[in-house]
């Protein structure tokens, strides 16, 4: 943050949430909330802070790295409830001058799914949805536009947090045809 202040930049303070956790565990939930509260308390008054960013693409990893018996639906619901609790904690610590809280998804993922507690009402304390989208050059055009799809799922603001176009990955520089899209 010091460098950001030096250059008059704003920072989204990311808070990593491991992908291999059991989000239904009361201990895991309590620990993450307390760690995040400490994080918020430490950095909340920094003038370079723009907003808080929670997790990164956890929606694509529920149960994929689990070392425990796992059900994707129950993990998703518990995760989004946890995210809302963390966002609420940030709002409570900061009061009326709170910084917005964003959760970062892979694509549109579970956004808007009430059964997973990922709809606007269930995520009442989440202010922004961050979306990592790799739909190619035209992700904003046509009937399948990410913006149209998002508008059908949420009334909250969306921030494109990562994007890109399809590309050729060359496996062998001496043989550029040996690769994959």
């Amino acid at each position: 943050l010091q460098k950001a202040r030096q250059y008059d930049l704003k920072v989204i303070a990311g808070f990593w949430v491991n992908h291999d956790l059991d989000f239904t565990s009361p201990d895991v939930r309590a620990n993450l909330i307390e760690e995040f509260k400490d994080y918020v308390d430490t950095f909340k008054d920094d003038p370079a802070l723009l907003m808080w960013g929670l997790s990164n693409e956890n929606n694509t990893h529920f149960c994929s790295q689990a070392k425990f018996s796992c059900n994707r639906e129950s993990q998703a619901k518990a995760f989004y409830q946890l995210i809302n609790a963390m966002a609420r904690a940030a709002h409570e610590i900061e009061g009326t001058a709170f910084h917005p809280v964003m959760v970062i998804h892979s694509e549109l993922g579970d956004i808007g799914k009430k059964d997973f507690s990922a709809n606007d009402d269930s995520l009442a304390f989440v202010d922004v949805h961050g979306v990592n989208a790799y739909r190619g050059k035209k992700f904003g055009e046509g009937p399948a536009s990410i913006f149209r799809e998002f508008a059908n799922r949420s009334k909250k603001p969306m921030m494109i947090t990562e994007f890109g176009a399809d590309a050729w990955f060359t496996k062998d520089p001496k043989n550029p045809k040996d690769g994959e899209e």
Side-chain angles (χ1 to χ4, degrees), residues 70-103:
C70 190
N71 172 279
R72 193 215 184 266
E73 290 78 18
S74 60
Q75 286 297 312
K77 186 172 186 173
F79 172 78
Y80 294 114
Q81 289 171 345
L82 169 66
I83 290 298
N84 194 59
M86 293 169 75
R88 180 180 185 164
H91 284 238
E92 288 173 353
I93 290 168
E94 294 190 286
T96 57
F98 70 88
H99 293 88
V101 179
M102 173 173 55
V103 59

Side-chain angles (χ1 to χ4, degrees), residues 44-46 49-52 91 94 97-101 127:
K44 66 183 170 70
D45 296 320
D46 196 295
L49 182 65
L50 176 65
M51 74 172 76
W52 308 106
H91 284 238
E94 294 190 286
F98 70 88
H99 293 88
V101 179
D127 304 295

Side-chain angles (χ1 to χ4, degrees), residues 1 6 12 28 37 44 50 59 65 71-72 74 78 96 112 128 135 142 144 151 158 160 166 173 178 181:
L1 289 172
Q6 179 182 343
I12 299 171
V28 166
K37 286 165 74 173
K44 66 183 170 70
L50 176 65
N59 60 298
Q65 299 174 10
N71 172 279
R72 193 215 184 266
S74 60
T96 57
V128 179
R135 293 184 174 200
M158 173 180 65
I160 302 295
D166 295 335
D178 182 17
E181 190 172 11

Side-chain angles (χ1 to χ4, degrees), residues 158-176:
M158 173 180 65
M159 178 178 191
I160 302 295
T161 44
E162 290 180 16
F163 73 97
D166 295 335
W168 187 258
F169 174 73
T170 301
K171 295 177 182 178
D172 179 2
K174 294 179 182 174
N175 184 6

Side-chain angles (χ1 to χ4, degrees), residues 11-54:
V11 173
I12 299 171
F15 186 85
W16 183 258
V17 177
N18 283 338
H19 295 161
D20 62 350
L21 298 175
D22 180 359
F23 299 112
T24 65
S25 164
D27 290 339
V28 166
R29 298 168 64 81
N31 288 338
L32 281 169
I33 291 169
E34 286 307 309
E35 286 175 22
F36 184 59
K37 286 165 74 173
D38 289 343
Y39 188 71
V40 169
D41 201 43
T42 299
F43 297 109
K44 66 183 170 70
D45 296 320
D46 196 295
L49 182 65
L50 176 65
M51 74 172 76
W52 308 106
L54 296 175

